[in-house]
Amino acid sequence: MSNGEPTLPADDELELLRGQARSLGMPSQIDPENIGVTLPSAKNMLERAKAADTADEQEVPALHRKKNRRLVVRALAAAAAVAGIATIVASPWQQHAADASTPPVLDYAFANAQNIAYAPGKDARAELNKLAETASQQTKVPGSGSIQYLLTDNWFAELEDSKEAELIPKRRETWLRADGSLRARETSGTPLSPDGRGLTKRPVARTSDVTDETYPADDLYPQFVAKLGTDVQKVRDALMRKAECEDRSRGPSRAACLYQEITGLYASYVVPPTIAATFWRILADEPTMRSLGSVKDRAGRAGIGISFIPADSPQFRRVLIISSETGQLIGTEDILIKKDPDLKLESPAIYSFTAILDTRYTRVFGPDRADS
């Protein structure tokens, strides 16, 4: 506690929250199946990705196809975390009860939670080129072996017809073999601290809700990203072909399409530093990209926020968080900045976020030895 008050042990604080919830007639523990939430399984996500991709058979669909994201909400903090956290009626960082279930908007050097809806930021070209240079100076891809391992902390929920969704954190690990076979493991995500941070590589204590599935080699091409090369024009063309960008001329539509494709690739593959550098040089050519400046991401890492507002969805602000230390993407955030009649959510508010906590090569194909 602040202001000189004694700090309660974690167990006592948790019980206090649960008691407050019970006194208000609310459940002190919540499970997704009890509130009608259906989380997309790894199999569902894989099937959606394959169905969405009609490009060359070697241009593999990302595990998350972002063009279908209107059907999936990927990042609101839940009214209660699956991992036994008490229902929180009014979070200390929120002003309205309607917003109590959403994590706070992060503060950036050129935009904070109060002005995120209208802060212009700065032209991102110089910052993106600087981040590209940082990435290109990295000597090698992390880890060793032929299996691509990714760990992300996400918040998933299906958007119901009522436009309301209970949102729960989901922690996802994937192992992609060189032959295209894939293993995906999902567990409860990490509860956030009051400042909206607290994510970590360490697994949460509760693992009773594990989903662990393996898929045989099919039409996935694990080396798609690694073999893109570093020629900016050629890589840009390859990304636009794969994403089937409708407008390939320089402008807001192309920028949005490239953003979606690049973030989709990061959700599925280990991205070599040289390829990351090429991605940022591609986005540096897009005038709609704005720098929000430095930020501490939801895992407490130093990053730079790169933002744009889609022309076809002006109620949202999309943000890339790129590590200022490695030049790699470490997270994405979708911020609702204008009232949307289809969503029962007060703006500005976090609509979704994904944190990339670990990405590397390994020799093992399974969660039991993933960190060895």
Side-chain angles (χ1 to χ4, degrees):
M1 303 287 288
S2 59
N3 302 323
E5 297 181 16
T7 301
L8 292 173
D11 291 345
D12 290 345
E13 289 184 320
L14 182 57
E15 186 55 40
L16 178 61
L17 286 171
R18 285 177 172 150
Q20 290 174 339
R22 287 193 294 269
S23 70
L24 292 170
M26 302 179 71
S28 62
Q29 184 166 318
I30 212 164
D31 291 307
E33 60 270 16
N34 294 332
I35 56 175
V37 177
T38 303
L39 298 175
S41 68
K43 182 177 181 181
N44 293 148
M45 296 296 287
L46 189 62
E47 289 174 348
R48 290 179 189 178
K50 291 179 180 179
D53 189 21
T54 58
D56 185 271
E57 64 181 2
Q58 287 192 332
E59 295 184 347
V60 54
L63 189 61
H64 308 287
R65 289 296 299 183
K66 295 212 170 183
K67 62 178 65 176
N68 293 331
R69 285 178 63 190
R70 291 186 180 181
L71 300 178
V72 181
V73 180
R74 284 186 47 194
L76 283 168
V82 180
I85 297 300
T87 300
I88 298 177
V89 179
S91 303
W93 60 86
Q94 295 292 350
Q95 297 179 348
H96 306 290
D99 295 337
S101 64
T102 65
V105 175
L106 298 175
D107 284 331
Y108 301 83
F110 310 139
N112 57 39
Q114 285 70 44
N115 66 9
I116 192 69
Y118 55 84
K122 297 184 178 182
D123 185 279
R125 184 180 183 89
E127 195 71 77
L128 282 164
N129 282 325
K130 181 180 177 181
L131 289 165
E133 184 61 26
T134 298
S136 66
Q137 291 175 358
Q138 304 303 307
T139 58
K140 63 179 181 179
V141 179
S144 61
S146 61
I147 298 172
Q148 297 179 60
Y149 171 72
L150 280 84
L151 167 63
T152 60
D153 210 306
N154 318 268
W155 299 62
F156 289 99
E158 289 291 342
L159 190 61
E160 302 295 340
D161 292 338
S162 64
K163 308 300 180 184
E164 290 185 287
E166 298 290 343
L167 302 145
I168 326 169
K170 218 48 171 169
R171 183 182 177 93
R172 172 167 288 167
E173 296 173 278
T174 60
W175 294 261
L176 178 60
R177 275 178 169 160
D179 66 359
S181 56
L182 176 77
R183 186 169 186 176
R185 185 175 189 263
E186 293 179 347
T187 60
S188 298
T190 306
L192 297 173
S193 58
D195 67 356
R197 297 179 175 88
L199 299 184
T200 174
K201 292 181 182 180
R202 295 190 302 273
V204 294
R206 179 180 173 183
T207 56
S208 60
D209 63 339
V210 173
T211 299
D212 196 332
E213 297 176 317
T214 301
Y215 308 95
D218 195 355
D219 60 346
L220 292 178
Y221 181 44
Q223 296 306 310
F224 172 71
V225 172
K227 293 186 176 181
L228 277 172
T230 59
D231 184 287
V232 169
Q233 186 58 52
K234 289 181 179 178
V235 175
R236 180 190 290 114
D237 289 344
L239 296 180
M240 290 191 296
R241 283 196 307 272
K242 182 176 180 299
E244 298 180 337
C245 298
E246 294 181 1
D247 187 349
R248 299 190 180 185
S249 59
R250 191 171 180 231
S253 295
R254 187 178 80 171
C257 189
L258 289 168
Y259 168 93
Q260 290 176 348
E261 186 59 31
I262 288 170
T263 54
L265 292 176
Y266 263 102
S268 304
Y269 302 96
V270 173
V271 178
T274 54
I275 305 300
T278 306
F279 287 166
W280 309 146
R281 291 185 178 113
I282 288 171
L283 292 184
D285 284 340
E286 302 299 329
T288 55
M289 293 293 170
R290 307 294 295 177
S291 172
L292 300 184
S294 59
V295 64
K296 290 289 185 180
D297 84 329
R298 298 193 183 272
R301 299 168 294 185
I304 302 295
I306 302 296
S307 162
F308 77 103
I309 298 174
D312 61 349
S313 303
Q315 71 273 38
F316 291 106
R317 187 164 205 161
R318 316 287 190 199
V319 183
L320 297 165
I321 299 180
I322 303 171
S323 171
S324 53
E325 297 179 357
T326 67
Q328 286 283 12
L329 183 69
I330 55 177
T332 62
E333 307 249 336
D334 289 349
I335 306 170
L336 182 68
I337 59 173
K338 295 181 181 179
K339 183 175 179 59
D340 188 327
D342 291 334
L343 297 172
K344 296 182 180 179
L345 184 66
E346 294 293 327
S347 63
I350 291 296
Y351 184 75
S352 70
F353 71 78
T354 290
I356 302 172
L357 300 178
D358 197 0
T359 173
R360 55 185 162 84
Y361 279 90
T362 181
R363 293 186 173 88
V364 299
F365 187 63
D368 53 338
R369 294 179 294 160
D371 295 326
S372 62

